[in-house]
Each structure stands twice: as C-alpha cells, then as structure tokens.
C-alpha cells in the first residue's frame, strides 16, 4: 500500500483470465453519440477514448454496439464493428487507449425484441418468444435454429474483427433484457423446445454463444459478461438462477459484471440505470451473492451508482466484489482516480447521478458538472489567456463560481461578490432533500474548490454588488451571474401564512409536518421533487399545473424524469425506502395537469381546467413552485458599465445546472 493514500485494495492489480488489470476499476460502457452517420468514430470520439484512458482505469468498454445492422440495432449513433471496411477507425481507438496503459473493449449487444424498427433492415425483430415492447418493433419473429446460428456467428465475427484491430477483449451484454437475457429469463422465454421450457434449456443458447466465442478468439482475448444479478420483476430471472447459469458459463468467460433490472421496461430501468433516487451501490448485494458462492471462481465486478473511491475500497475490503465498473463519476471528474491515488480526495468533483451524460437524440455525451467533457480544441481544457485581466464576478452560485474558477485558471485576477453568506446559489436550498445528497456533496465541493482556487480573500460574501462597488475594483471585464428568482403570478391568496415557496420547503426553512394535506402549485422538476419529498414524510400531495401531464417534471434528463413520474403516478414511494430508511409510509400523490390555480383562500385552492370547470382542493399547506425567472432587476445594474460585460447562468437563460456551468465556462474561456 502506498503511504500517500488510504486505499489498500483499489489500486491493486486483478488477475482476469490470462491478463492482469492494473486497478479494480473498469470504465463502464456508455454510448457517447460521437460517431458519424456511417457508425465510424469521429476524431472527437477517438479523443474521448484517449481521455478515458488517462483516467487510470484498467479497461475501457465502449458502449452498447450492435453485432449486426440487420435486426440487432436499438439506438442511433452506435459504433459499427460489423464492417471490415471500417476497421481504420477501430485501430485508432485501440491505439488511443493503449497509449496510456489502458486496455480496450467493446460491449457487444443484440437487442432482440428491443430493436428499433426505424433502424433495422428487416420487417421484424427477433426474439425467443413473441413479446413486443411499446414503441419498439411491433412484429416479432420467434427465432429458429438458423436465426440462432446467425446471431452466434455475428457475435463471433465482431469479436474476431476487434481482435484483429488490437482490441483486448469484448464485453458481452447479457443483462437488462437484451437478447441473451431474453433467452435466460422465464419472463421473456416461454418456448418449450431445446431453447426453452426449463432453466437448463433457457441457458442453452447463451452457453452455446459463449463457447463459440471462446473457441474463436482463444484464451488470451478477454471475454467479460454483463448480467442482471436479478431482473427484479416477480416472473423474471432471480439471483439463484443467475448463479446456476454462471457456474456453467464461467468456463468460457474471464470475469462477470453484475447489474440489475431491465432497460426495456419503465420499472426495470430504475435498477438498470439507477438515478439519484436510488441508493448508491444498490447492486452490490446481488454481486456479493454471486462472488461468495462457493462454486463461482472468476472475478466479479459490479455496476450501478458506484461513484466514489471510498465505496469501491469498502466493498472490495469486505469481500463483496473484486472490482467495479463505473462511468458517471469518471465523466464528472476524469481525474477522480488520479486524485484518490495521490491523496487529493477533497478536490474530486462529485457526480450528481442526474443522467445528463446520457445525451439523447443527436446529442453527444455531456456532463452537468464538467463542461470540458467530450469537447475538443479550445474547450477541451483551460488555456492560459494571452493577457492578464482584472475580472469581477457578480454572484456566487453555480455559474458565478464556475466562471471564477475558470478565469483564475486562465491567469486572470478575480474578485467575486456574493450577497449571501455562502457559495452555491439555489443549490444550498434544494440539496437539503434526503435524496439530493449527491447535489449536497457537489455544493460543498463548489464552496471548497472555489475558495481554494480564487482565494478566500478575493471572495466577498455578504456583499451585494452595486455599480459603485464593482467599478471600485477597476475591472477590465464583468461577469454577471446573479441567477434567478422565484416566479410569482398574480394569484389571490399567495400571501397567506400557510403558503410557502418551494425553496423554503426544500431547505427546511419552512417546515411542513408529516401527514399534512399539501397542494404543490407547479409541476416542473422542482415541484415534483418537492412533492416526492413530502410524500416520503407521509403527506397527501396534489400537484397542479397548467401544463399537460406529459410535460410534468421537465428540466432534467428524461431517464431521471420518467423514474420520478413513475413513483408519483403510481404512488411507489416504497422504492425510496432503501434510499431513505427514515421515510414515512402512507404518503400519496395526485397529479392534475392542464389546470390553472385561480385562488388560494383559507386552506382551499381553486383550480380551473381547460374546459373552464373549477375544482376546490383542501390543503393544510400550499407550496409555490411556479418556476424561476431571470433576476433582471439585479442584472440590469451592470449593463454597459464597461464594454466587456457578460451574462451567464440563469440571468442569461433560466435552465439547469448544466446550462449554468456551460455558459459560465464558455464565456470565461473567451475573456
């Protein structure tokens, strides 16, 4: 063990097959949306892989990659490893990873019934049994022996191509309800022949596939299998059956990576892609059962909410796992492992687990807290300015602190004014919710790192900036980051004493007792999160907004949003018990869309729907969550004080944390 850090296990090598991993951390697969229209890696993709290698991980797994273009594709912008004519880009990817001592792998997947009908070339998807998925292929062909052989040949063909391109291995995606999992699971395999009918026959296709791959690539090419340690659904595959399968499969694979749930169904996604609502490391119990079974003799790693070096160290030390597969924490701070190794843990930028990194249609990978991620040229890192300037930053929220840190790193002299007594802006309020501790850690990091870089002597807390105060600093440039203020429509009764603003409720400045009847006026993200927190206290909550129900909770990534709405619409607050053991059962939530709040009076809220029908809802407390608006009055104080005045964050555009960080970083990079 090194004397300069506290980790006895994290940075020790791990024997995997005939090779050795340099640490216990794998870079978990994520589709980064950085290919061109032909599925070839752009230069940005290759640069991104090189940045991944610089993190110090043992191996990089490139995200879900289809084994054929015929009927296995489930997402646009995936890397194409099926075409011999596209190997040049693959070779460059391998070179980029190996430059920094990392091994490189591709996650191979066949989506089966989850294939996207717009992306496959056949008229149907293929699967072991005929169970279609809403918004996916409507027509399913039940696979025959020829289909099974074709799929196996496709997996083998891709693995051999990658081996020729100097890749070190592949990760075979057998989790989350993809094709291999569809054969294994009694939920999706109801056939009664040699490929289904009982557990032994459901295992036959996956075992045949793994055997064929091992025979093709030989002993020195890493074969890793990702599997759901439990599919969670009552009629799905559970841990004992997973263990039985792995006892047979381990003769062909070198290591198993354990996840959970199903990605193709709403409830299952809560486990396969755990958001900030879920406990960190929630899949460890499944991995631990597998690792500690006496008949399992290959290394076991785990994926899902593993975001700190201390977590990894703890679980390895306890004997629960051999290693981890992580991505989001390494996107938030690519130097996370390097800082941990050097004993600089307090400088690690925390991950919010918000899933903004998951991108979306036509959007390459981003990170809410890391504006450098997957960007090239002038925004890939902080460059020194050609000429030092004196810059005043007005506002110490997300945008103001991001601008201040970037400006100092560029070599400028910075003074920051913040009218409150702490840095972090609105995060200091919303991070107090029990399921927002990831945001609390980030807020604490903002305070710590800004003071370290800018210097406490240059941060003027409890000082409201005025034109005179700012001009007294003789600035060359001014960055205005005065944020946003709550929007308050002219609704009668909002001044009554039982009406609280959502920021006051979330922060605890105003207390709503458990068991109360509450109306939340506003179905945006903040209103819905506050409603969840109140329901977890046993409150009966009604959320009302003029927007339609399908637009509730907008403002974050759709993955987290859909999981939040699933809990609210179905009153599944029991899912939060693992996250917050102190939660109170019995909470309820009702969602009313397309309705205006007309008045508040004496504990009654009058609403009106789009057909002019009114309804009165009784409430002990009312929470204002009408959204935020630019702090225009404050921002206008600094307009044209000097030629170079720049607006960033919410006072430029009211949006989210990522927008605040990006606008501030981009503007500071150009001063």
């Amino acid at each position: 063990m090194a004397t300069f850090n506290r980790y006895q296990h994290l940075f020790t090598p791990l024997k995997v097959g005939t090779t050795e991993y340099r640490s216990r951390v794998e870079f978990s697969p994520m589709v980064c949306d950085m290919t061109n229209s032909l599925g070839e890696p752009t230069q940005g993709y290759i640069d991104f892989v090189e940045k991944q290698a610089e993190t110090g991980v043992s191996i990089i797994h490139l995200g879900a990659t289809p084994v054929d273009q015929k009927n296995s594709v489930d997402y646009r912008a995936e890397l194409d490893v099926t075409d011999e004519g596209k190997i040049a880009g693959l070779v460059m990817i391998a070179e980029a990873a190996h430059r920094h001592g990392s091994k490189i792998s591709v996650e191979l997947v066949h989506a089966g019934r989850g294939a996207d009908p717009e992306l496959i070339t056949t008229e149907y998807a293929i699967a072991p049994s005929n169970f279609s998925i809403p918004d996916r292929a409507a027509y399913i062909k039940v696979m025959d022996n020829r289909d099974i052989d074709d799929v196996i040949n496709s997996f083998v063909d891709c693995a051999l191509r990658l081996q020729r391109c100097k890749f070190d291995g592949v990760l075979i995606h057998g989790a989350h309800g993809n094709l291999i999992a569809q054969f294994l699971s009694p939920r999706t395999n109801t056939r009664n022949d040699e490929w289904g009918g009982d557990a032994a026959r459901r295992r036959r296709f996956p075992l045949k596939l793994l055997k064929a791959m091992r025979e093709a690539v030989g002993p020195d090419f890493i074969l890793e299998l990702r599997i759901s340690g439990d599919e969670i659904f009552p009629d799905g595959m559970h841990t004992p059956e997973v263990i039985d399968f792995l006892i047979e499969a381990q003769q062909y694979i070198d290591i198993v990576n354990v996840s959970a749930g199903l990605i193709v169904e709403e409830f299952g996604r809560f486990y396969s892609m755990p958001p900030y609502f879920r406990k960190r490391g929630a899949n460890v119990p499944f991995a631990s059962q597998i690792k500690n079974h006496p008949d399992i003799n290959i290394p076991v790693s785990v994926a899902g909410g593993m975001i700190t070096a201390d977590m990894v160290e703890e679980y390895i030390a306890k004997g629960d796992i051999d290693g981890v597969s992580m991505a989001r924490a390494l996107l938030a701070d690519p130097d996370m492992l390097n800082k941990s190794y050097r004993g600089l843990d307090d400088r690690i930028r925390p991950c919010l687990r918000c899933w903004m990194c998951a991108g979306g249609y036509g959007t390459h990978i981003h990170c809410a807290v890391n504006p450098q991620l997957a960007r090239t040229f002038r925004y890939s890192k902080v460059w020194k300015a050609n000429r030092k300037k004196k810059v005043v930053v007005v506002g110490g929220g997300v945008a103001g602190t991001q601008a201040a840190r970037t400006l100092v790193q560029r070599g400028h002299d910075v003074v920051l004014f913040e009218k409150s007594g702490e840095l972090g802006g609105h995060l200091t309020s919303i991070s107090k919710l029990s399921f927002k501790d990831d945001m609390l850690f980030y807020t604490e990091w903002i305070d710590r790192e800004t003071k370290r870089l800018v210097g406490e002597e240059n941060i003027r807390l409890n000082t409201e900036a005025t034109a005179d105060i700012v001009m007294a600093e003789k600035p060359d440039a001014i960055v205005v980051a005065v944020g946003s203020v709550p929007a308050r429509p002219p609704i009668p009764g909002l001044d009554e004493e039982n009406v609280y603003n959502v920021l006051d409720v979330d922060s605890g400045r105003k207390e709503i007792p458990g068991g109360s009847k509450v109306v939340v006026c506003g179905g945006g993200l903040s209103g819905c999160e506050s409603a969840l927190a109140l329901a977890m206290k046993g409150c009966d909550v009604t959320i009302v907004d003029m927007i339609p129900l399908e637009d509730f909770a907008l403002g974050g990534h759709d993955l987290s949003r859909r999981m939040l709405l699933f809990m609210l619409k179905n009153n599944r607050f029991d899912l939060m018990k693992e996250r917050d053991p102190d939660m109170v059962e019995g909470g309820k939530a009702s969602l009313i869309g397309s309705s205006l709040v007309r008045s508040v009076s004496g504990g009654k809220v009058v609403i009106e729907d789009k057909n002019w029908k009114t309804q009165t809802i009784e409430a002990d407390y009312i929470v204002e969550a009408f959204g935020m608006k630019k702090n225009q009055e404050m921002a206008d104080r600094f307009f044209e004080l000097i030629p170079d005045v720049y607006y960033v964050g919410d006072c430029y555009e009211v949006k989210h944390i990522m927008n605040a960080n990006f606008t501030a970083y981009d503007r500071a990079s150009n001063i």
Side-chain angles (χ1 to χ4, degrees), residues 89-101:
L90 298 176
V91 171
M92 286 190 282
I93 285 176
E95 290 175 347
H98 291 153
R99 258 177 231 129
H100 301 278

Side-chain angles (χ1 to χ4, degrees), residues 33-46:
D33 290 73
M34 295 178 73
T35 58
N36 63 20
S37 61
L38 300 176
E40 298 169 313
T42 60
Q43 185 58 49
Y45 194 131
I46 296 167

Side-chain angles (χ1 to χ4, degrees), residues 124-327:
Y124 49 80
I126 60 173
S129 301
N130 188 3
F131 294 105
S132 61
I133 301 170
D135 301 322
R136 290 291 171 170
Y139 303 108
I140 305 291
K141 179 190 177 188
V142 175
M143 294 171 65
D144 56 28
N145 287 352
R146 183 169 183 175
D147 295 318
I148 285 170
D149 288 341
D150 284 347
V151 170
I152 291 173
N153 290 337
S154 294
F155 271 90
V156 169
D157 177 62
C158 291
L160 288 172
R161 180 169 298 107
L162 290 162
Q163 189 176 42
R164 290 194 299 273
C165 292
K166 308 304 180 186
F167 278 65
D168 301 285
V170 293
L171 172 62
I172 302 151
H173 202 337
H176 302 166
N178 287 298
L179 182 64
I180 293 173
Q182 290 163 31
F183 269 90
L184 285 169
S185 176
R187 180 178 175 84
T188 48
N189 184 348
T190 58
R191 59 199 294 160
N192 188 19
D193 59 7
E194 62 182 312
W195 308 110
D198 57 31
R201 284 180 285 172
R202 289 197 301 271
R203 294 196 286 266
R204 189 166 289 163
F205 164 69
L207 290 171
K208 183 177 180 179
L209 184 152
L210 295 174
K211 182 175 186 289
M213 294 187 72
R214 176 55 73 198
E215 290 175 346
V217 300
D220 300 326
F221 191 71
I222 300 164
L223 293 185
E224 180 167 353
L225 176 68
R226 171 169 278 193
I227 196 164
S228 290
D230 196 297
E231 288 188 333
I232 307 301
F233 289 86
D235 58 348
M237 185 169 62
H238 301 295
T239 308
E241 190 173 330
V242 173
I243 291 173
D244 289 341
F245 166 66
L246 290 173
I247 289 170
E248 293 188 64
Q250 64 187 348
Q251 62 186 306
Y252 308 121
I253 60 177
D254 299 302
I255 181 172
V256 61
N257 178 245
V258 179
S259 182
L262 302 173
I263 202 168
V264 294
E265 300 188 43
E266 198 75 56
F267 173 68
R269 199 176 294 120
F270 200 78
Y271 295 83
S272 61
M273 300 186 75
Y276 54 92
F277 307 114
R278 290 216 65 210
K279 176 184 175 182
R280 289 180 289 277
N283 295 333
V284 170
F286 306 127
S288 181
Q289 290 181 62
I290 293 168
K291 174 178 164 51
N292 289 292
H293 191 280
D295 294 325
I296 296 293
N297 52 41
I298 57 173
V300 176
S301 68
V302 68
M306 302 296 292
I307 62 168
T308 70
D310 287 339
M311 285 180 63
V312 181
E313 178 71 17
E314 177 188 352
Y315 289 128
I316 296 175
K318 287 167 56 180
D320 289 324
I321 55 174
D322 295 297
V324 300
S325 178
M326 66 166 60

Side-chain angles (χ1 to χ4, degrees), residues 645-665:
V645 179
Y646 307 103
Y647 292 83
V648 299
D650 275 5
C651 73
Y652 175 74
E653 180 183 18
V654 178
K655 223 167 180 183
H656 41 53
I657 291 173
M658 187 167 81
N659 186 67
N661 275 316
F662 271 64
T663 56
Y665 174 78

Side-chain angles (χ1 to χ4, degrees), residues 29-86:
M30 292 188 74
V31 179
C32 64
D33 290 73
M34 295 178 73
T35 58
N36 63 20
S37 61
L38 300 176
E40 298 169 313
T42 60
Q43 185 58 49
Y45 194 131
I46 296 167
D47 292 343
F48 176 55
V49 170
E50 184 155 358
K51 288 289 185 184
Q52 288 177 290
E54 290 175 357
T55 62
V57 295
S58 56
I59 187 168
I60 301 163
H61 299 296
L62 304 182
T65 305
V67 294
D68 68 52
Q69 302 299 313
K70 185 171 55 176
N71 52 33
S72 74
V73 187
D74 65 347
Y75 187 74
R76 296 181 190 273
E78 292 174 320
L79 189 66
D80 186 356
V81 300
T82 68
D83 188 342
E84 199 69 17
K86 299 176 182 177

